[in-house]
Amino acid sequence: MVSVTVWNEYVQEQTEDDVAEVYPDGIHAVLAPALRERGHDVRVATLDEPEHGLTTDVLDDTDVLVWWEHRAHEDVEDEIVERVCERIYDGMGFVPLHSSHFSKVFKRLMGTPCSLAYRESGERERVWTVDPSHPVADGLDESFVVPEAEMYGEPFAVPEPDRLVFVSWFEGGEVFRSGCCYHRGNGRIFYFRPGHETYPVYEESVVQDVIDNAVRWAARGGRGETATENRAVGPSE
Amino acid sequence: MVSVTVWNEYVQEQTEDDVAEVYPDGIHAVLAPALRERGHDVRVATLDEPEHGLTTDVLDDTDVLVWWEHRAHEDVEDEIVERVCERIYDGMGFVPLHSSHFSKVFKRLMGTPCSLAYRESGERERVWTVDPSHPVADGLDESFVVPEAEMYGEPFAVPEPDRLVFVSWFEGGEVFRSGCCYHRGNGRIFYFRPGHETYPVYEESVVQDVIDNAVRWAARGGRGETATENRAVGPSE
Amino acid sequence: MVSVTVWNEYVQEQTEDDVAEVYPDGIHAVLAPALRERGHDVRVATLDEPEHGLTTDVLDDTDVLVWWEHRAHEDVEDEIVERVCERIYDGMGFVPLHSSHFSKVFKRLMGTPCSLAYRESGERERVWTVDPSHPVADGLDESFVVPEAEMYGEPFAVPEPDRLVFVSWFEGGEVFRSGCCYHRGNGRIFYFRPGHETYPVYEESVVQDVIDNAVRWAARGGRGETATENRAVGPSE
Amino acid sequence: MVSVTVWNEYVQEQTEDDVAEVYPDGIHAVLAPALRERGHDVRVATLDEPEHGLTTDVLDDTDVLVWWEHRAHEDVEDEIVERVCERIYDGMGFVPLHSSHFSKVFKRLMGTPCSLAYRESGERERVWTVDPSHPVADGLDESFVVPEAEMYGEPFAVPEPDRLVFVSWFEGGEVFRSGCCYHRGNGRIFYFRPGHETYPVYEESVVQDVIDNAVRWAARGGRGETATENRAVGPSE
C-alpha cells in the first residue's frame, strides 16, 4: 500500500464560479478518492494549511506526492519547496500535474524555465503511448482521448526526459510530450500533462488510471538519503 | 565540405507509373542536387550497381550516407549491410529516410523490430521541433507542414533516442517521433520520417534543409575505428 | 515469484580442469540455487540440449533469462537467437553476465560490436554504485569487492545505457561500466560484468544479491507483444 | 573563433601561500593563455569585479563560459547566478571545472545536491574515455594521467548525464564520472572533474586540450532565446 499525499493549492475552486462548478470540493477531492479506490493510502494537503500541510511529519510518511498548482506559484514558500525537494532526493516520488510544470518545486528539480505554449480552447486531445514498455503505461490502450482539453504545445523547456511515455495530439494542430519520467537523487518524478480546472479531466477513469500507475511507479525510488554535503573519505583500496 | 553518398534502392521509380511521375529520375535525383546546392560533395549509388554501389572505396570516401529504401528491403545483401554498419561504427554518418526505418541496416543498428503504424492517406503533417537546441533544428521555424503525407504512428519500436528532435502531428489523429538521433560506435545516425514515393515531399525546401542539417551534424562523429574484437592489454597503473 | 531460466553454454566446466575445479557442476549449478534461495522459481537450460533448452514452451514460461556464454558464441543457432530476442521484445527480461557481452543475443540487441579490453590477471575489482536510486542497487553498500577478477576495460562498444548503475575499478588501472540497463521493445536488459569461469565470483553472496536484484527489476518489463510488422490503420480522430 | 570568458573566484591564490605558489597569477592566468594558444578569443572575469565581471555586455559577447569556483560558493550573488543561467538557456556554453560542481550555477542547472566524496591525497588519477565518439574526446589517447590529484568519488548526486565521456580511476580505489554532458535550454554544459588549486593540473597539456575540446563543443548550442514565460497561441492546423 502506497502512502500518497495529494497536494492542491485549492485556490480557484474557492474563488471562481466556473471552477467551483466542476470541482466543488477541490481537485484533491476528486483525485484522493480515485487513488483510494485503487488501493492507496491517501491524505490531502493544501496551500492554506500551516506549512502548506507539508510538515516534516507528513512528508516523512509520504511515499508519493501528487501535486496540483495553477494560480499560486509564487505563494508557495521557498522553505517548503526546499523541504519537498530534499524529500524527493531522499526517495519520495513526485507526480506534478498539468499547470504544475510551472511550480517552484518542478522548476527547481528541472533547472530550466519549463515554459510552453498553451491555448484554452476545450479542444480534443488524444494521448498516445510511445513507450508501451514503461510501467506508467500498464494496461492502457494505444491511445486515449481527453474530450475537452487546454492545449499545451512545444517547445517544452525541460531537460530531455529519462523516458518519454506519452505524446499528446491536439485538434488544433499541436503535439506535446505529456508523460515525462525523471529521477533526481533517489526520487522518481512523473510529469503528467492532462488536467484542467474547468474541464472535468480528473473525472475521466483513464486519467485516474494513469495517475494510479504513476503513483505505483514513483513509489519504487531508491532507499535512503542523498547527501547534501561533500564527504571526506579515506582510501578504499 | 562533407562527402555525401545518397543511396536509393531506385526500384519503384522505374516500375510504377505514379512513382515515376513524381520522381522521374529517382528520389536520389532530387536529393543529390539539393545537397549539392547546400555545399556538399555528393555522389549517388543504387541497389542494382555492383555491390549496390557501396564498394569499400566509395564508403571510405563517404562522410555521411543518406538512405532511401522502400520495396527492396530483402534485396540488400547481408555482406553490404555489415560493411555499411562497420563504416558507421568507424565514424560514418547515416541518415535513413522514411520507410528506411525497415531497412536491414537501420534494424541491425537499432536491435529492435522498428515497426510502426501507417496510413497512405495524403493527409497534412505538421512537424514540430521539440528540441530547438539540437543542430538538426538549426534555422527552422517552430513547426513546418508537409501538405500531403503518409501517416506513421506510434508505437515506433526503436530504442529510446539519444535525442528526440521532431515530433509529427497528423490530420488523422496520430503523432510520431519523426526526428531521432542515435550513435553507434563512432557513427551518428539521424532517422528522419518525412518523405514518400508518390507525394513530392523531397521537393519541399524545408525538408531539404533538415536533411542538410542532418548531414552536417552526422558528419561530426568520432574519429577512428571501433574495435570488433576484444583486446588483451597489460596493466595501466 | 519470478520464473527464471538460467542458461549456460556449459562447455568449459566439462572440458577444462581448472574450470571444473571451480564450477564442478557448471556455473548454472551455482546460480540456480542462489536464485531459488532468494525466492525465485528457477530452471536451467544448456547449449547441448535440443534447441539449446530454449523451446518456445520454456521461453513462454520464462519471466527473466539469465545468461552465461564464453567459448561457444558461434555455436548458438541463429534461429534460437531470434526466438530469444523476440521474447525479449515481448517483455521477457534478460540478464547477460560477464563474457556474454559477446553473445549473439546481446550483440543483436545492442546493434554494436560490444568489444572491450581485458586482462586475465586475478586482480582486485571494486564495483561502485553510481546510481543508488536504481532498483538493481537495492540494499547494496556504496561499493563491493571482487577479490580475484578478470579485468574488462573501456571503451566498451555498446550504445549509451539507459541507466548506468555500476562502474568498476581495477587494481591494474582500468575502469568499466559494469552494470548497464537497456530496454528493447517491452523487455528489460541488465548487463552485469562481474563473473569468471576460473575465479569463484558467482559464489560471492553480494554478486548473487545483485543478480537477484536484476532479476526482480527485469521481471517488470512491459506487457504484450511488440509488433514485428508494420500495421495499416484508419484515422483516429 | 569562439568567444570565451574564463571566470575565476580568484580567492585562494591571493590568500593562501600554497595556492599562490602553484598559481601565482590565478588559475585563470593559466587557463586563458592555454585557450588563446588554441585559437580562441579569451577574456577573464573574477568575483571581486563589479557584477563579478559578468555584466550583460560581457555575457552577450560570450559563447562559452569556463568556470572555477572553490571557496566562494556563497559569495556569488543570486542575481548573477540567474543572469548566467538565463544566458545558458539562450545558448551560451558552460564548462564548470572540478570544485565548481558545488557552484550555485551548476546546482541550479542540475536541480540536485551535486554532492560527492573526496580525498585530498595527491594521488594518481587516470582518466578514461568511455565514449570516444564524443567531440570532447577528439584527439585524445584511450586514457591520460593526472599525476597528483584530489580524489572525487561516487555517488555524484547529479542527473544522469546526456552523455558520459570520461570516467576516472584513482589510486586509492575510487571511480568518478569525470566528463559529463548536459544541455539546458539551448545551452550545452560540460562538467570536467580534473583540476585543483595546489596541484598544477591546469598546467598539463592534455587537460588544456580537453578544455579546448569542451569549449569547441559547448559553442555549438542552439540559437535564440528560451522563453521564460508561457505563450498563448492560436490554432496551428
Side-chain angles (χ1 to χ4, degrees):
Chain A
M1 185 173 272
V2 179
S3 177
V4 181
T5 298
V6 173
W7 189 88
N8 182 6
E9 60 170 40
Y10 195 28
V11 172
Q12 292 174 285
E13 300 98 320
Q14 301 188 83
T15 56
E16 301 179 25
D17 286 352
D18 53 343
V19 179
E21 206 167 301
V22 180
Y23 295 107
D25 302 309
I27 282 176
H28 57 286
V30 172
L31 292 174
L35 289 170
R36 273 189 207 108
E37 281 164 26
R38 286 164 175 84
H40 304 294
D41 183 21
V42 185
R43 69 158 63 75
V44 300
T46 57
L47 180 71
D48 59 0
E49 295 176 58
E51 308 181 44
H52 307 329
L54 299 172
T55 59
T56 301
D57 280 357
V58 165
L59 290 178
D60 282 351
D61 189 41
T62 299
D63 298 320
V64 180
L65 181 61
V66 176
W67 197 271
W68 172 269
E69 194 178 304
H70 184 226
R71 271 288 181 279
H73 301 317
E74 291 313 308
D75 300 329
V76 179
E77 285 171 35
D78 288 342
E79 187 191 334
I80 307 298
V81 169
E82 276 311 298
R83 186 188 293 169
V84 167
C85 288
E86 273 169 32
R87 274 292 295 133
I88 293 170
Y89 302 144
D90 294 348
M92 182 177 70
F94 182 57
V95 182
L97 300 174
H98 192 65
S99 48
S100 307
H101 75 93
F102 236 43
S103 62
K104 282 185 186 174
V105 173
F106 188 66
K107 290 170 84 167
R108 170 90 177 72
L109 294 166
M110 295 295 102
T112 59
C114 300
S115 57
L116 47 76
Y118 68 96
R119 181 173 56 241
E120 273 192 285
S121 46
E123 68 197 273
R124 187 161 63 262
E125 170 181 15
R126 184 175 288 274
V127 182
W128 288 92
T129 296
V130 300
D131 185 351
S133 79
H134 199 279
V136 175
D138 270 3
L140 301 181
D141 289 337
E142 288 202 332
S143 70
F144 63 88
V145 168
V146 177
E148 277 191 309
E150 177 187 8
M151 187 284 294
Y152 275 10
E154 298 280 350
F156 183 23
V158 286
E160 187 102 3
D162 295 345
R163 298 279 290 273
L164 176 63
V165 182
F166 301 125
V167 172
S168 286
W169 173 101
F170 292 95
E171 204 179 341
E174 287 82 7
V175 297
F176 195 74
R177 289 172 292 171
S178 284
C180 296
C181 301
Y182 297 93
H183 67 289
R184 292 290 179 267
N186 275 327
R188 293 178 172 192
I189 300 161
F190 184 74
Y191 172 74
F192 186 49
R193 194 213 85 80
H196 197 247
E197 69 282 1
T198 63
Y199 312 129
V201 177
Y202 295 125
E203 303 279 6
E204 301 276 337
S205 171
V206 65
V207 169
Q208 298 175 357
D209 288 342
V210 172
I211 298 173
D212 172 35
N213 281 345
V215 161
R216 290 172 197 276
W217 172 80
R220 294 200 300 263
R223 317 283 156 76
E225 293 187 16
T226 295
T228 52
E229 293 305 317
N230 298 323
R231 293 98 56 202
V233 297
S236 299
E237 203 184 2
Chain B
M1 183 173 275
V2 179
S3 178
V4 180
T5 298
V6 173
W7 190 87
N8 182 5
E9 59 170 41
Y10 195 28
V11 170
Q12 290 174 286
E13 299 98 321
Q14 301 189 81
T15 57
E16 300 180 24
D17 285 352
D18 53 343
V19 180
E21 207 167 298
V22 180
Y23 295 107
D25 301 310
I27 283 175
H28 57 286
V30 172
L31 292 175
L35 289 170
R36 272 188 208 109
E37 281 164 27
R38 286 165 174 83
H40 304 295
D41 183 22
V42 185
R43 68 157 67 73
V44 300
T46 56
L47 180 72
D48 60 359
E49 295 177 59
E51 307 181 44
H52 307 330
L54 299 172
T55 60
T56 301
D57 280 357
V58 165
L59 291 178
D60 282 352
D61 190 42
T62 298
D63 297 320
V64 179
L65 181 61
V66 176
W67 196 272
W68 171 269
E69 196 179 303
H70 184 226
R71 271 288 179 280
H73 301 318
E74 291 312 308
D75 300 330
V76 179
E77 285 172 35
D78 289 342
E79 188 191 334
I80 307 300
V81 170
E82 276 311 300
R83 186 188 293 168
V84 167
C85 288
E86 275 170 30
R87 273 291 295 134
I88 293 169
Y89 302 144
D90 293 350
M92 182 177 71
F94 183 57
V95 182
L97 302 173
H98 192 66
S99 49
S100 306
H101 75 92
F102 236 44
S103 63
K104 282 184 186 175
V105 172
F106 187 66
K107 291 170 82 167
R108 171 88 178 73
L109 294 165
M110 295 295 102
T112 59
C114 300
S115 56
L116 47 76
Y118 68 96
R119 178 172 59 242
E120 273 194 284
S121 46
E123 69 196 273
R124 187 161 62 262
E125 171 181 14
R126 185 176 288 275
V127 181
W128 289 90
T129 295
V130 300
D131 185 352
S133 78
H134 199 279
V136 174
D138 270 4
L140 300 181
D141 289 336
E142 288 203 332
S143 70
F144 63 89
V145 168
V146 177
E148 277 190 309
E150 177 188 7
M151 186 283 293
Y152 275 10
E154 296 280 348
F156 182 23
V158 286
E160 187 101 4
D162 294 345
R163 297 280 289 274
L164 175 65
V165 183
F166 301 125
V167 172
S168 288
W169 173 99
F170 292 95
E171 203 178 342
E174 288 83 6
V175 297
F176 195 76
R177 291 171 292 172
S178 283
C180 296
C181 299
Y182 298 94
H183 67 288
R184 292 290 180 268
N186 275 326
R188 293 178 172 193
I189 300 161
F190 184 74
Y191 172 74
F192 187 49
R193 194 215 83 81
H196 198 250
E197 68 282 1
T198 63
Y199 312 129
V201 177
Y202 295 125
E203 303 280 5
E204 302 276 336
S205 172
V206 65
V207 170
Q208 297 174 358
D209 288 343
V210 172
I211 299 175
D212 171 34
N213 281 347
V215 161
R216 289 173 198 276
W217 172 79
R220 295 200 300 263
R223 318 281 157 74
E225 292 188 15
T226 295
T228 52
E229 293 304 318
N230 298 323
R231 293 97 55 203
V233 297
S236 298
E237 205 184 359
Chain C
M1 184 173 273
V2 180
S3 177
V4 181
T5 298
V6 174
W7 190 88
N8 182 4
E9 59 170 41
Y10 196 28
V11 171
Q12 291 175 286
E13 299 97 322
Q14 301 188 81
T15 58
E16 300 180 24
D17 286 353
D18 54 342
V19 180
E21 208 166 299
V22 179
Y23 294 107
D25 302 310
I27 281 175
H28 56 286
V30 171
L31 292 174
L35 290 170
R36 273 188 207 110
E37 281 164 25
R38 285 163 175 83
H40 304 294
D41 182 22
V42 186
R43 69 157 66 75
V44 300
T46 57
L47 180 70
D48 60 359
E49 294 176 59
E51 308 182 44
H52 307 328
L54 299 171
T55 60
T56 301
D57 281 357
V58 165
L59 290 178
D60 283 353
D61 189 42
T62 299
D63 298 320
V64 179
L65 181 61
V66 176
W67 196 271
W68 171 269
E69 196 179 302
H70 184 226
R71 270 289 179 278
H73 301 318
E74 290 313 308
D75 300 330
V76 178
E77 285 172 34
D78 289 342
E79 188 192 332
I80 306 301
V81 169
E82 277 310 300
R83 186 188 294 168
V84 167
C85 287
E86 274 168 31
R87 274 290 296 132
I88 293 170
Y89 302 144
D90 293 350
M92 182 176 70
F94 183 57
V95 182
L97 301 174
H98 191 66
S99 48
S100 307
H101 75 92
F102 235 44
S103 63
K104 283 184 185 174
V105 172
F106 187 65
K107 290 169 82 167
R108 172 89 177 73
L109 294 166
M110 295 296 103
T112 58
C114 300
S115 57
L116 46 77
Y118 69 95
R119 178 172 59 242
E120 272 193 285
S121 46
E123 69 196 91
R124 185 160 65 261
E125 170 181 15
R126 184 176 288 274
V127 182
W128 287 92
T129 295
V130 300
D131 185 351
S133 78
H134 199 278
V136 174
D138 270 3
L140 300 181
D141 289 337
E142 288 203 331
S143 70
F144 63 88
V145 168
V146 177
E148 277 191 309
E150 177 187 8
M151 186 282 294
Y152 274 10
E154 297 281 347
F156 182 23
V158 286
E160 187 102 3
D162 293 347
R163 297 280 289 274
L164 175 64
V165 184
F166 302 124
V167 173
S168 288
W169 174 100
F170 292 95
E171 202 178 343
E174 287 83 7
V175 298
F176 194 76
R177 289 172 292 171
S178 283
C180 296
C181 299
Y182 298 93
H183 67 288
R184 292 289 179 268
N186 275 326
R188 294 178 172 192
I189 300 162
F190 185 74
Y191 172 74
F192 187 48
R193 194 215 85 81
H196 197 248
E197 69 280 1
T198 63
Y199 311 129
V201 177
Y202 294 125
E203 302 279 5
E204 301 275 337
S205 172
V206 65
V207 169
Q208 296 175 359
D209 288 343
V210 173
I211 299 174
D212 171 35
N213 281 346
V215 160
R216 289 173 198 276
W217 172 79
R220 296 201 298 262
R223 318 281 156 76
E225 293 189 14
T226 295
T228 53
E229 293 304 317
N230 297 325
R231 293 98 53 202
V233 296
S236 298
E237 205 183 1
Chain D
M1 184 174 273
V2 179
S3 177
V4 181
T5 298
V6 173
W7 190 87
N8 182 7
E9 59 170 40
Y10 196 28
V11 172
Q12 291 174 286
E13 300 97 321
Q14 302 187 82
T15 57
E16 301 181 24
D17 286 351
D18 53 343
V19 179
E21 205 168 302
V22 179
Y23 294 108
D25 301 310
I27 282 175
H28 57 286
V30 172
L31 291 175
L35 290 169
R36 273 187 208 111
E37 281 165 26
R38 285 164 175 82
H40 305 294
D41 183 21
V42 185
R43 69 158 64 76
V44 300
T46 56
L47 180 69
D48 58 1
E49 295 176 58
E51 306 181 47
H52 307 330
L54 299 172
T55 60
T56 302
D57 281 355
V58 165
L59 290 178
D60 282 352
D61 190 41
T62 298
D63 298 321
V64 179
L65 182 60
V66 176
W67 197 271
W68 171 270
E69 194 179 304
H70 184 225
R71 271 288 180 276
H73 300 317
E74 291 311 309
D75 300 330
V76 179
E77 285 171 34
D78 289 342
E79 188 191 333
I80 307 299
V81 169
E82 274 312 298
R83 186 188 294 169
V84 167
C85 288
E86 273 168 34
R87 274 289 296 134
I88 293 170
Y89 302 145
D90 293 350
M92 183 177 68
F94 182 57
V95 181
L97 300 174
H98 191 67
S99 47
S100 308
H101 75 92
F102 235 45
S103 62
K104 282 185 186 174
V105 173
F106 187 65
K107 290 169 84 166
R108 171 88 177 73
L109 294 165
M110 295 295 102
T112 58
C114 300
S115 56
L116 46 77
Y118 69 96
R119 180 172 57 242
E120 274 194 283
S121 46
E123 68 196 273
R124 188 160 64 262
E125 170 181 15
R126 184 175 287 276
V127 182
W128 287 91
T129 296
V130 301
D131 185 352
S133 78
H134 199 279
V136 175
D138 269 4
L140 300 181
D141 289 336
E142 288 201 332
S143 71
F144 63 89
V145 168
V146 177
E148 277 191 309
E150 177 187 8
M151 186 284 295
Y152 274 10
E154 298 279 349
F156 182 24
V158 287
E160 187 103 3
D162 294 346
R163 298 279 290 273
L164 175 64
V165 183
F166 301 125
V167 172
S168 288
W169 173 101
F170 292 95
E171 203 178 342
E174 287 83 6
V175 298
F176 195 76
R177 289 172 292 171
S178 284
C180 296
C181 301
Y182 298 93
H183 67 288
R184 292 290 179 267
N186 275 326
R188 292 178 172 192
I189 300 162
F190 185 73
Y191 172 75
F192 186 49
R193 194 214 85 81
H196 198 249
E197 68 282 0
T198 62
Y199 311 130
V201 176
Y202 295 125
E203 302 280 5
E204 302 275 336
S205 172
V206 65
V207 169
Q208 297 175 358
D209 289 343
V210 171
I211 298 173
D212 171 34
N213 281 346
V215 161
R216 290 173 198 277
W217 172 79
R220 295 200 299 262
R223 318 281 156 75
E225 293 187 16
T226 295
T228 52
E229 292 305 317
N230 298 325
R231 292 99 52 205
V233 297
S236 299
E237 201 183 2

